[in-house]
Amino acid sequence: MRLALIGFGVVGQSFAEIVSAQSAELSRTYGLRPRIVAIVDSKGAAVSPGGVDLPSALRAKKDSRSLGGLGGVYREGMSAIDVIREVDCEVVVEATPSDLTKGEPGLGHVRAAMKEARHVICVNKGPLALAMPALIELAGHNGVIFKFSGTVGGGTPVLDLAKKCLEGCTIDSIRGILNGTCNYILTKMSSEGVDMKDALSEAQRLGYAEADPTADVEGLDSACKLVITSNYVLGTSMSIRDVDVTGITGVTMEDISSAASEDKAVKLIGHVGDGARVAPETIPLTHPLNVSGTFNAITFDTDPAGEITLVGKGAGGRETASSVLRDLIEIRQDFAK
Ligand code: HSE
């Protein structure tokens, strides 16, 4: 299966590493032979119909922060849209940084890919936060598969657990910790007394935060994951503008100590049910949502199964890339039907 990888940041590189390291196993276990025929970075694109040499691409990116070091296969100035229109492939993976105000450039990439009849795996949250219902319709109109598991929960299968494994249950509300960076910061503040600014720098260094971390700390990243989950699982048609959002920038060390003195923790929690909101809340230390570090936790309040909570790593390149691979395997399986 031929793929164009749009965006070669933390997630894009991790995905290339996994594909390169697991190629024999993917073929043996799933009959999946992914061939990445184009990789687009911010300055151009590496294109090779036989498959871009992934170890060389990864080395070039690490050595010079650009794919330019790949030589002949690299076309400086070639854009993602050029690649989507001109390079033959079945699947486009959209992994450019999320922009939550206009959704671009990811939104344009996803639309162009669907119009060119490419299946799309989107890890970029912007297009979904702003235009999810329209994109689902466009995918259906063009007869392509649209997957976006990595937009919520990193590597944790939040969306598919709720959609597939809870069939037959009614889900009345959803509540959860949806941003790994904020949870990492709040954990560092409470367990080590690290101040917010230093904890955020550490989260950026470790590749958890967004390119613009304002989206993390101001709660917008959580809000967009709430929107994606609600639209996918509850069948709503929300956009990020429908969520009442307060981030963690106003949380002080005093708030955290005061919660701790009552055996509680301060967490950034998203809720959808009676309205949609994201805000810091205090929860008992024994609460199932009281997870630490970059973990996400999400509770589905269901009937008749009751409350079901899923916990897993919500941020990180390898974790999120595992969702891209899951989506790809599913597309491959749909092909085989
Ligand atoms: N910045 C995001 C987070 C990455 O911290 O959760 C995963 O979407």
Side-chain angles (χ1 to χ4, degrees):
M1 195 181 291
R2 294 168 301 177
L3 282 74
L5 177 55
I6 314 294
F8 205 44
V10 177
V11 176
Q13 290 175 57
S14 297
F15 178 64
E17 274 165 17
I18 292 176
V19 166
S20 176
Q22 298 186 7
S23 65
E25 193 185 331
L26 290 173
S27 169
R28 199 171 46 244
T29 312
Y30 303 103
L32 178 67
R33 288 177 205 83
R35 192 167 12 121
I36 301 182
V37 292
I39 304 177
V40 182
D41 70 4
S42 53
K43 298 187 189 70
V47 179
S48 171
V52 177
D53 183 68
L54 298 178
S56 303
L58 289 161
R59 212 173 313 115
K61 193 74 183 174
K62 284 202 168 77
D63 290 349
S64 60
R65 311 189 79 191
S66 151
L67 292 168
L70 282 177
V73 299
Y74 189 68
R75 305 186 196 171
E76 197 167 337
M78 187 172 195
S79 72
I81 295 287
D82 296 336
V83 165
I84 290 165
R85 292 197 181 131
E86 294 166 25
V87 177
D88 283 335
C89 65
E90 284 75 40
V91 180
V92 168
V93 178
E94 216 302 332
T96 62
S98 301
D99 171 274
L100 303 183
T101 45
K102 295 206 168 69
E104 298 295 354
L107 187 53
H109 299 162
V110 173
R111 285 196 177 121
M114 289 176 177
K115 286 180 186 160
E116 293 294 328
R118 325 266 192 223
H119 304 298
V120 175
I121 298 173
C122 187
V123 231
N124 179 338
K125 289 158 277 190
L128 287 142
L130 294 159
M132 186 169 169
L135 291 176
I136 290 175
E137 197 179 321
L138 188 63
H141 181 73
N142 288 284
V144 296
I145 303 168
F146 182 34
K147 302 290 296 176
F148 38 85
S149 304
T151 56
V152 182
T156 313
V158 172
L159 297 176
D160 283 338
L161 174 108
K163 186 86 170 176
K164 295 180 185 165
C165 302
L166 294 177
E167 274 175 343
C169 282
T170 308
I171 301 176
D172 297 318
S173 65
I174 299 171
R175 188 170 181 233
I177 292 174
L178 298 166
N179 182 271
T181 300
C182 288
N183 208 50
Y184 180 84
I185 293 171
L186 294 172
T187 305
K188 281 274 184 190
M189 287 172 77
S190 73
S191 61
E192 295 171 34
V194 175
D195 81 24
M196 188 176 289
K197 201 162 142 281
D198 292 343
L200 172 59
S201 301
E202 185 69 0
Q204 286 179 288
R205 192 183 64 75
L206 293 168
Y208 304 143
E210 296 302 295
D212 175 2
T214 319
D216 293 296
V217 294
E218 290 191 349
L220 296 168
D221 181 80
S222 297
C224 93
K225 290 164 176 165
L226 195 66
V227 164
I228 297 167
T229 309
S230 176
N231 288 351
Y232 190 66
V233 177
L234 303 182
T236 53
S237 293
M238 288 200 299
S239 96
I240 193 167
R241 299 185 187 101
D242 300 313
V243 187
D244 188 7
V245 188
T246 309
I248 63 164
T249 50
V251 175
T252 62
M253 211 58 109
E254 289 68 42
D255 295 330
I256 287 178
S257 313
S258 149
S261 69
E262 295 172 8
D263 290 332
K264 290 184 173 170
V266 180
K267 295 288 176 190
L268 184 68
I269 293 185
H271 179 99
V272 65
D274 53 343
R277 62 183 177 275
V278 171
E281 286 178 29
T282 54
I283 55 171
L285 297 179
T286 51
H287 195 284
L289 292 181
N290 184 27
V291 292
S292 63
T294 58
F295 277 98
N296 281 190
I298 188 158
T299 300
F300 297 100
D301 183 12
T302 80
D303 182 42
E307 286 194 356
I308 293 174
T309 300
L310 179 64
V311 174
K313 287 273 176 71
R318 276 183 71 75
E319 292 81 355
T320 309
S322 74
S323 288
V324 179
L325 185 59
R326 261 200 329 268
D327 284 350
L328 187 64
I329 291 168
E330 208 170 312
I331 290 174
R332 166 71 182 75
Q333 286 163 347
D334 277 6
F335 264 25
K337 277 180 191 162

